[in-house]
Amino acid sequence: IVAPLVKGTIDKSRASARAIMLSSAFVSYEYALPLRRAVIDRIIALLEHGNPRVCAIAARYLHDALRMPYGIGSMSPPEDLREQYQAEFAATIEAVTAIMDRGGLSATTMLAVTDAVSWHAQYGGGMPGDAANRFLDGLPNDRSFRLRAAMVDRARFAFRGQIPREAEEDDVEKWLPALANELKETWPEAENLLDQLEDALADLARAAIGDGSAYMLVNTLLQDDLPLARALLVRAAADPRSAFRSFVWGAMAQLLNLEPADGRRQIERFLERDADMAARGVAALGSLTRSFAAEDLRLLRRAVSSAELAVSRSALVALRWSKDLPDQQVKGIALLAPFEQQPDLLNEVASLLLERR
């Protein structure tokens, strides 16, 4: 109902029996201002709501409220309208910054608001850009916030309190290992570190904020760390709803490369009792940094021929990644897939065979 007030344009498209005309118009700023201001004030107030998911949703609407209106095609707002919106954007961001400065925003809400203002800080310039930079400069720098910031979607591509906004790509690649080292120095025991990761993932889930970059952080933490890999697998196996199931591949890859026999034993146990864990673990066979052993190939054959679709499919993916295996060997293993029970596998096997022809 109030979308046009936030969007700043209205649709004027028309259609008849013979033609369709696409058209839009800008909403008069002065006419809509009282209602628009009421909507934005409500959005800002909801940033302090007791439910973190409501706060994150409000931040997404804030993102829309901070977008310059554009019409269909190349229709751009006139300069005077643009100046009015820029002044409003700056005032809106400053109002949110004031709430943050007095401690009114949770960590997840600050991350959601960062997503809403980061474009202005990086590309917008002018009054909105200055205001957005002031917001970003006021973000916390404590370890807890930076941990959560490293997990959110696009953590490497938008400022999240990790690196300077003007940083070069090399700096972007360095901050993640540095953060991982800091976390391990603070929580050297695997169980304590997993507790911190679990809390951060739970916070993001409660706010319905995507944790699409968490795998990069967790895989960096897992690198050459067998105690952490084993502890993560235990937690993931203990609870089918565990957030750590998303990182089983990374943990199992470390185990298979550093302690192959133990890794294979764990996958075999999963094949017997937990198809989901088995599917996630089998995929790691495609990430070996060592040569395949006969035992690895036997395990891969068993997984490909599994009656469980997810397990067989993951094994085929691992087979596709295993570029060092000879073509004939790959084809022989791929043809073990249970086509009669799982005809959906035909396309995947055919694609794999075409790659290896």
Side-chain angles (χ1 to χ4, degrees):
I1 295 173
V2 299
L5 296 172
V6 176
K7 187 178 179 183
T9 60
I10 56 173
D11 185 10
K12 294 180 63 180
S13 299
R14 298 289 183 270
S16 66
R18 292 180 296 175
I20 297 176
M21 183 183 72
L22 301 178
S23 177
S24 61
F26 294 108
V27 176
S28 170
Y29 185 81
E30 292 82 1
Y31 179 79
L33 181 58
L35 290 174
R36 180 178 172 88
R37 181 174 291 156
V39 171
I40 293 174
D41 287 347
R42 184 60 177 159
I43 290 172
I44 294 174
L46 287 172
L47 294 174
E48 297 186 85
H49 196 277
N51 185 333
R53 182 169 297 200
V54 172
C55 298
I57 292 172
R60 287 197 287 273
Y61 280 107
L62 180 68
H63 182 279
D64 295 340
L66 294 174
R67 292 182 63 184
M68 188 68 69
Y70 287 94
I72 291 176
S74 58
M75 184 178 175
S76 298
E79 188 59 32
D80 59 337
L81 181 59
R82 181 184 295 271
E83 290 176 356
Q84 288 174 312
Y85 274 111
Q86 285 183 326
E88 179 197 284
F89 295 164
T92 299
I93 297 171
E94 293 288 5
V96 177
T97 302
I99 298 174
M100 178 179 68
D101 290 344
R102 63 173 169 77
L105 302 182
S106 67
T108 52
T109 304
M110 285 187 280
L111 290 171
V113 172
T114 297
D115 193 49
V117 306
S118 61
W119 185 90
H120 287 286
Q122 296 180 50
Y123 309 110
M127 292 188 297
D130 292 341
N133 279 316
R134 282 191 290 273
F135 176 85
L136 296 179
D137 290 339
L139 288 172
N141 195 40
D142 60 273
R143 194 177 296 108
S144 174
F145 179 79
R146 288 184 291 116
L147 169 57
R148 285 152 180 78
M151 292 181 167
V152 296
D153 293 339
R154 301 187 303 114
R156 291 202 299 176
F157 305 104
F159 176 76
R160 288 295 191 275
Q162 306 289 354
I163 57 172
R165 293 182 293 284
E166 67 277 5
E168 299 294 331
E169 182 64 22
D170 286 347
D171 297 320
V172 177
E173 298 299 331
K174 289 174 183 175
W175 68 258
L176 192 58
L179 177 61
N181 289 335
E182 182 183 348
L183 294 173
K184 285 192 171 187
E185 289 172 0
T186 306
W187 297 290
E189 296 297 324
E191 295 296 340
N192 293 337
L193 180 54
L194 289 176
D195 286 342
Q196 297 299 320
L197 296 175
E198 194 168 43
D199 288 346
L201 290 166
D203 281 350
L204 295 177
R206 279 190 290 270
I209 293 176
D211 58 7
S213 294
Y215 79 95
M216 294 188 297
L217 173 61
V218 175
N219 285 346
T220 302
L221 290 166
L222 287 167
Q223 190 68 36
D224 298 326
D225 192 333
L226 282 175
L228 183 62
R230 287 194 173 102
L232 187 148
L233 289 170
V234 169
R235 290 205 185 192
D239 182 1
R241 298 168 298 176
S242 171
F244 290 122
R245 290 217 167 194
S246 298
F247 314 112
V248 165
W249 170 85
M252 188 59 73
Q254 294 301 312
L255 211 54
L256 286 170
N257 282 309
L258 300 176
E259 293 285 349
D262 187 19
R264 288 190 292 264
R265 277 194 299 271
Q266 294 217 31
I267 292 176
E268 287 168 354
R269 284 198 294 270
F270 294 145
L271 284 168
E272 307 243 336
R273 63 185 73 163
D274 191 332
D276 180 62
M277 284 291 291
R280 296 173 187 273
V282 161
L285 285 167
S287 303
L288 298 185
T289 56
R290 56 175 176 79
S291 299
F292 269 87
E295 294 82 359
D296 299 317
L297 294 172
R298 277 197 293 271
L299 184 57
L300 198 51
R301 291 188 186 96
R302 178 182 174 185
V304 168
S305 61
S306 171
E308 294 285 348
L309 177 61
V311 173
S312 184
R313 183 168 278 158
S314 286
L316 289 170
V317 170
L319 201 56
R320 174 174 269 117
W321 290 343
S322 303
K323 303 299 184 183
D324 292 338
L325 290 178
D327 290 349
Q328 286 304 116
Q329 196 167 37
V330 168
K331 292 174 183 177
I333 297 174
L335 291 173
L336 295 173
F339 301 120
E340 290 187 3
Q341 300 105 309
Q342 303 292 352
D344 289 347
L345 294 173
L346 279 168
N347 285 338
E348 293 167 53
V349 172
S351 175
L352 178 56
L353 296 180
L354 283 173
E355 291 179 9
R356 293 289 189 138
R357 64 181 177 178

